[in-house]
Amino acid sequence: MSKIPLGLSPRLYNEDLAPAEHRKWGTYSLFAMWMSDVHSLGGYTFAAGLFALGLGAWQVFLALIVGIFIVYFLVNLSGYAGQKTGVPFPVISRISFGTFGANLPALIRAIVAIAWYGIQTWLASRAVIVLLLQIWPGLKFMTTNDFLGESTLGWLAFLVVWALQLLLLRNGMETIRKYQEWAGPAIWAVLLVLVFYILAKAGWNVSFTLPGGDARWGIWQAFFAAVSLTIAYFSTLMLNFCDFARFAPTKQAVRRGNLWGLPVNFIAFSVVSVIVTTGTFQVYGEHIYDPVDIVGRIGNVWVILLGAVTFIVATLGINVVANFVSPAYDLANLYPKKIDFKTGGLISAIIAILITPWNLFNSPVAVNLFLGGLGALLGPLFGIIMIDYYVLRKQHVDVMGLFREDGHYTYSRGWNPKALVSFLIAAIISLVLALVPGFGAFSAFSWPIGAVIGAVIHYLLSRNDTSLQAAVTAAIASENENELPLP
């Protein structure tokens, strides 16, 4: 570990958590990052899955457009905070939750990320198995045994994908940036080939009517549920997008990267995924929602090879962006003196093996209650952190004070009781809406409801807080001092 600047605490500071010195994530880098996040198996099936709510084609696309523009606005809030302060999510959380209280939102985000990191790694390994069995059918004997819920070939494929992701860790965020910049466009190229193949096989005539469900609580509830689900789909990265925006050179780069990466790219990708899904009905007589299955039916070993590699690249992209960077910083925040970004990432990856993610994914109880419940907690965290930064403090923060144990962000032994109370109330409501069957009509809205309630309660509890006002005054003085011209 490097030398710690005078006055800063080794329990709060290391180079990876400190304000970013190198700002290389420009508009294209952030655009490519969003491509990697969107271009995944989950992103592919998301738009088509909204038809199950009982909506028609134009209603689904309108809901996607409304939802993604709301996401764009909210992501900009997180991004601007990261770009201005230069610090990652767990450090920004110290502003509202306290220097040590920030470990609460950091750990919640880390647990969600590590669980999905393991699951996404395992899902990518499925493509590896398909590829290996097509090339070497004799390996099928390695799929018949069982060790902790997975076969020998399954374990080998999982560990290969797991190791590939660790390679992206070797130079930290700079390697990740370079990977995203070619992975996103490469996936687009392969996907467009798949589009033209399906359209040609379908005679360039497809119907945009997908099988859906009934609008159980009415068409308007289904429409707004689709909007809310679009927001919830991005809720994890929405919370910690500052982990990437902290490396952006300007606020304009953040805004432009988000514009191209979210509304433009997401809508285009959704349209393409629906076209391919509807086209499969013309070609195969059924709607196929899994692109791995579509590629497998083409029957050409080179196409299967290209498809498998593409799906692996896509999954590595979203896994690194959504589920690797966050816990690496979050765990570093727990013990900065001993854990840096790379060590935090390695710990996350090891935990992802130990939880045997295939068993987690195959358990509806675990996915719906554990991960669904934790996901519902992200809304209150977002609402509290953003209302604190933008409304209560009006973006005035003494950044270096976030690394001191006896400063304006210490509160009560490093914890802010007001933020904790706000979070607990909003979290209970979010969990009830998300998990209790009797509130099924509201379950899709648990994230926005939790975010609004958390923000409102925190504002009401903190608006007359004299210590907060003193922190803002000190931050303004510090900003003015830093802006003084040199003699």
Side-chain angles (χ1 to χ4, degrees):
M1 296 290 176
S2 60
K3 185 178 179 181
I4 299 173
L6 186 65
L8 304 188
S9 171
R11 297 206 294 169
L12 299 171
Y13 179 93
N14 66 31
E15 282 190 346
D16 291 320
L17 298 176
E21 294 182 3
H22 305 290
R23 304 289 188 110
K24 296 183 179 180
W25 287 68
T27 296
Y28 178 73
S29 295
L30 294 174
F31 169 40
M33 186 222 78
W34 284 118
M35 279 196 284
S36 291
D37 180 63
V38 171
H39 301 171
S40 64
L41 298 180
Y44 178 92
T45 58
F46 176 75
L50 292 181
F51 284 86
L53 295 174
L55 298 174
W58 72 269
Q59 294 163 327
V60 167
F61 283 119
L62 181 59
L64 287 170
I65 291 171
V66 173
I68 200 60
F69 270 100
I70 294 174
V71 169
Y72 168 68
F73 169 76
L74 296 177
V75 163
N76 280 344
L77 293 181
S78 176
Y80 294 160
Q83 194 280 325
K84 183 175 180 178
T85 62
V87 296
F89 167 68
V91 179
I92 281 184
S93 299
R94 295 175 187 176
I95 300 170
S96 50
F97 281 87
T99 49
F100 296 120
N103 285 314
L104 173 65
L107 281 178
I108 291 173
R109 178 66 182 95
I111 293 171
V112 174
I114 291 172
W116 282 114
Y117 179 84
I119 290 172
Q120 291 278 11
T121 300
W122 175 69
L123 290 175
S125 73
R126 301 295 89 193
V128 175
I129 292 174
V130 170
L131 174 63
L132 291 175
L133 291 178
Q134 284 288 333
I135 299 175
W136 297 292
L139 294 177
K140 192 170 183 179
F141 79 95
M142 298 177 68
T143 66
T144 58
N145 66 321
D146 184 292
F147 176 68
L148 297 178
E150 187 54 276
S151 67
T152 299
L153 189 62
W155 268 103
L156 291 174
F158 175 78
L159 291 175
V160 166
V161 178
W162 180 87
L164 286 174
Q165 291 173 119
L166 282 185
L167 290 177
L168 296 176
L169 177 67
R170 66 188 186 277
N171 289 322
M173 290 296 289
E174 184 60 18
T175 305
I176 292 171
R177 180 181 70 84
K178 291 178 180 178
Y179 175 82
Q180 308 295 352
E181 287 188 353
W182 72 264
I187 296 163
W188 253 123
V190 174
L191 187 65
L192 288 176
V193 171
L194 183 60
V195 170
F196 284 111
Y197 172 82
I198 290 295
L199 287 177
K201 294 286 286 184
W204 302 93
N205 180 30
V206 297
S207 169
F208 285 97
T209 302
L210 284 173
D214 296 324
R216 182 178 175 186
W217 293 288
I219 200 69
W220 282 109
Q221 189 276 345
F223 175 81
F224 286 112
V227 172
S228 183
L229 288 172
T230 303
I231 299 170
Y233 180 78
F234 291 93
S235 63
T236 52
L237 257 180
M238 199 185 303
L239 189 62
N240 71 290
F241 176 62
C242 46
D243 288 344
F244 303 90
R246 64 187 293 236
F247 298 107
T250 64
K251 185 177 179 180
Q252 185 181 57
V254 174
R255 182 170 61 252
R256 288 179 175 176
N258 288 347
L259 179 64
W260 284 102
L262 287 169
V264 176
N265 178 66
F266 176 74
I267 292 171
F269 188 78
S270 298
V271 169
V272 165
S273 66
V274 171
I275 289 175
V276 174
T277 302
T278 55
T280 58
F281 185 79
Q282 304 292 114
V283 178
Y284 301 108
E286 61 178 314
H287 291 98
I288 303 174
Y289 295 90
D290 186 350
V292 175
D293 189 8
I294 298 173
V295 171
R297 295 193 184 202
I298 294 175
N300 183 294
V301 66
W302 294 107
V303 172
I304 292 173
L305 174 62
L306 178 62
V309 170
T310 300
F311 298 137
I312 292 168
V313 169
T315 304
L316 293 183
I318 186 175
N319 225 10
V320 167
V321 167
N323 302 318
F324 180 83
V325 171
S326 177
Y329 280 127
D330 296 335
L331 294 179
N333 190 67
L334 273 177
Y335 195 13
K337 189 175 181 179
K338 296 293 184 181
I339 303 176
D340 59 9
F341 178 83
K342 294 180 182 179
T343 305
L346 180 59
I347 294 171
S348 301
I350 292 173
I351 295 174
I353 295 178
L354 297 177
I355 63 174
T356 59
W358 45 88
N359 292 320
L360 188 65
F361 184 76
N362 290 327
S363 169
V365 174
V367 172
N368 294 330
L369 295 184
F370 177 64
L371 291 177
L374 284 173
L377 302 181
L378 302 182
L381 293 175
F382 184 89
I384 292 168
I385 293 169
M386 292 302 131
I387 200 77
D388 190 283
Y389 180 76
Y390 282 100
V391 178
L392 293 171
R393 300 177 193 274
K394 296 180 172 55
Q395 305 181 56
H396 296 298
V397 176
D398 176 12
V399 176
M400 300 315 294
L402 298 171
F403 301 95
R404 296 188 178 95
E405 291 191 40
D406 54 348
H408 289 290
Y409 309 102
T410 304
Y411 301 103
S412 177
R413 298 183 180 180
W415 293 76
N416 182 3
K418 293 182 174 63
L420 290 176
V421 170
S422 304
F423 172 72
L424 287 174
I425 296 173
I428 291 171
I429 295 173
S430 290
L431 287 172
V432 169
L433 295 179
L435 303 179
V436 176
F439 292 92
F442 301 97
S443 61
F445 306 98
S446 63
W447 191 94
I449 290 175
V452 170
I453 292 175
V456 170
I457 295 176
H458 186 62
Y459 173 77
L460 294 176
L461 292 178
S462 305
R463 58 180 174 172
N464 296 319
D465 189 334
T466 55
S467 65
L468 187 149
Q469 294 167 0
V472 171
T473 301
I476 293 173
S478 177
E479 291 167 356
N480 292 336
E481 182 179 337
N482 292 332
E483 291 174 2
L484 289 176
L486 294 174

